[in-house]
Amino acid sequence: MIVERFAPSPTGLLHLGHAYSALLACDIAKATGGRFLVRIENTDAARCKPEYETALFEDLEWLGIDWETPVLRQTDRLDSYDNALDKLIDIGLCYPCSCTRSDIKNALSAPQEGAEPAFGPDGLIYPRTCCHRSMSERTAQDAIRLDMTKAVSMLTSELSFQEIGTDPHKTITIDPQPLITDCGDIVLARKDIATTAYHMSVVIDDAYQEVTHVTRGLDLASATSIHCLLQNLLGLPTPIYRHHRLIRDENGKRLAKRDDARSIRAYREQGLTPEDIREMVGLTS
Ligand code: GLU
């Protein structure tokens, strides 16, 4: 049975891009007699707000989307994330990091004045300043990073996933070397966040909820290599992925949560209907 999920972070109002992901995933689940779940990814306490959580449920209901209850909220799952993180720590793949964003910027710009520092799916590629530190030295001020070079060397099988957002569908084999050069030592737990960072909680919960199909925007496609790597290291299954086209504004810019003018809420207030929204995202029945 197909299990689809929509996993928003309540950090703003849902926009057309979210509506597209949620409607697409829900339509596929319905059409195949599968299950559709909503998961609240709310571990970033500084940015997540209860009012956005309330608003997103109202918007999803208004769109005509049905989801299973109870809804899983990531703040109820912190122990599971900690356990998974401990596994990676136990096998020697992690180190504590005290670098601030400006420490990282300074370290990256030092050798080649003027050259743009490289960005990976997780932000600036970390220059491994703290990689010599051991986990026993971790303080409350430290984040925890994955030593990507060691992680890649520990892979137990080839990394690959099924991509069904393309026509024809394809199996994507991931070359692990670019994970080292293009992603680098990603943060697994942030000092300023209750627990593990997005990449960890998302793979743990997709496995816990037995999600078979992940439907999400192409903006997250570059994170999928990281997710497959973590699934491999943690012995979790890899779902099938459908990375869908992004919904853009009239200037071709990707919609962002802070763009309230294009929020589902704003369209509702202007008197548009759920059918209008379906049409706007190209999902006419
Ligand atoms: N929580 C993520 C977001 O709101 C999406 C996670 C995912 O679909 O894998 O951007």
Side-chain angles (χ1 to χ4, degrees), residues 8 11 19 33 48 60 73 94 118 122 131-132 179 192 207 217 252:
T11 56
C48 294
L60 292 177
R73 300 174 76 246
C94 301
D122 216 32
C131 72
H132 59 279
L179 281 166
D192 52 342

Side-chain angles (χ1 to χ4, degrees), residues 5-11 18 39 41 74 198 202 206 214-217 219-220 227 257:
R5 53 68 160 180
F6 174 57
S9 302
T11 56
H18 297 108
R39 180 169 75 227
E41 303 213 320
Q74 289 194 322
Y198 160 69
V202 80
D206 282 337
V214 170
T215 297
R216 61 187 182 190
D219 52 333
L220 286 171
H227 297 173
K257 282 217 182 89

Side-chain angles (χ1 to χ4, degrees), residues 94-96 130-138 142:
C94 301
Y95 61 86
C130 290
C131 72
H132 59 279
R133 293 182 59 201
S134 105
M135 280 307 297
S136 58
E137 295 169 34
R138 189 191 186 198
D142 289 327

Side-chain angles (χ1 to χ4, degrees), residues 92-95 121-122 125-126 128 131 145-155 159 174-188 199 222-223 225-230 233:
L93 295 186
C94 301
Y95 61 86
D122 216 32
I125 297 174
Y126 182 60
R128 289 174 56 84
C131 72
R145 288 187 180 271
L146 179 72
D147 186 322
M148 193 60 90
T149 311
K150 280 191 194 160
V152 163
S153 74
M154 279 210 181
L155 290 173
L159 292 183
I174 301 162
D175 174 3
Q177 282 311 309
L179 281 166
I180 300 172
T181 47
D182 302 348
C183 293
D185 293 357
I186 56 166
V187 169
L188 296 182
H199 299 301
S222 59
S225 305
I226 298 175
H227 297 173
C228 289
L229 171 92
L230 291 173
L233 295 171

Side-chain angles (χ1 to χ4, degrees), residues 2-254:
I2 285 188
V3 182
E4 289 268 355
R5 53 68 160 180
F6 174 57
S9 302
T11 56
L13 293 170
L14 295 189
H15 58 57
L16 284 178
H18 297 108
Y20 183 45
S21 289
L23 286 165
L24 192 58
C26 180
D27 285 357
I28 294 165
K30 260 194 198 154
T32 57
R35 298 171 56 205
F36 176 69
L37 314 173
V38 172
R39 180 169 75 227
I40 300 297
E41 303 213 320
N42 59 346
T43 53
D44 187 345
R47 295 175 60 228
C48 294
K49 301 230 160 31
E51 55 269 33
Y52 289 134
E53 196 173 316
T54 309
L56 77 87
F57 285 125
E58 283 173 14
D59 288 345
L60 292 177
E61 201 173 337
W62 177 81
L63 284 166
I65 290 174
D66 275 333
W67 60 92
E68 287 184 16
T69 53
V71 164
L72 187 142
R73 300 174 76 246
Q74 289 194 322
T75 41
D76 293 332
R77 300 258 310 135
L78 305 185
D79 288 350
S80 310
Y81 311 145
D82 283 347
N83 291 342
L85 187 60
D86 283 346
K87 272 194 201 167
L88 299 183
I89 293 172
D90 287 350
I91 54 174
L93 295 186
C94 301
Y95 61 86
C97 170
S98 58
C99 293
T100 61
R101 200 166 299 205
S102 54
D103 291 337
I104 297 174
K105 272 196 188 145
N106 290 341
L108 287 171
S109 57
Q112 310 140 292
E113 229 23 81
E116 282 302 311
F119 278 87
D122 216 32
L124 283 171
I125 297 174
Y126 182 60
R128 289 174 56 84
T129 319
C130 290
C131 72
H132 59 279
R133 293 182 59 201
S134 105
M135 280 307 297
S136 58
E137 295 169 34
R138 189 191 186 198
T139 72
Q141 293 315 305
D142 289 327
I144 297 179
R145 288 187 180 271
L146 179 72
D147 186 322
M148 193 60 90
T149 311
K150 280 191 194 160
V152 163
S153 74
M154 279 210 181
L155 290 173
T156 51
S157 56
E158 183 181 82
L159 292 183
S160 69
F161 66 95
Q162 297 290 322
E163 170 62 69
I164 59 171
T166 54
D167 184 20
H169 300 167
K170 48 187 178 193
T171 300
I172 299 199
T173 304
I174 301 162
D175 174 3
Q177 282 311 309
L179 281 166
I180 300 172
T181 47
D182 302 348
C183 293
D185 293 357
I186 56 166
V187 169
L188 296 182
R190 299 226 288 244
K191 64 163 191 261
D192 52 342
I193 288 196
T195 180
T196 50
Y198 160 69
H199 299 301
M200 282 288 274
S201 47
V202 80
V203 297
I204 294 163
D205 285 342
D206 282 337
Y208 174 69
Q209 297 191 288
E210 300 181 346
V211 169
T212 60
H213 290 65
V214 170
T215 297
R216 61 187 182 190
L218 268 170
D219 52 333
L220 286 171
S222 59
T224 303
S225 305
I226 298 175
H227 297 173
C228 289
L229 171 92
L230 291 173
Q231 285 151 357
N232 182 294
L233 295 171
L234 293 166
L236 303 175
T238 294
I240 293 169
Y241 288 89
R242 177 191 304 272
H243 293 101
H244 61 69
R245 67 185 162 77
L246 299 179
I247 307 291
R248 298 182 181 277
D249 67 14
E250 54 287 354
N251 301 317
K253 221 172 123 252
R254 180 160 73 83

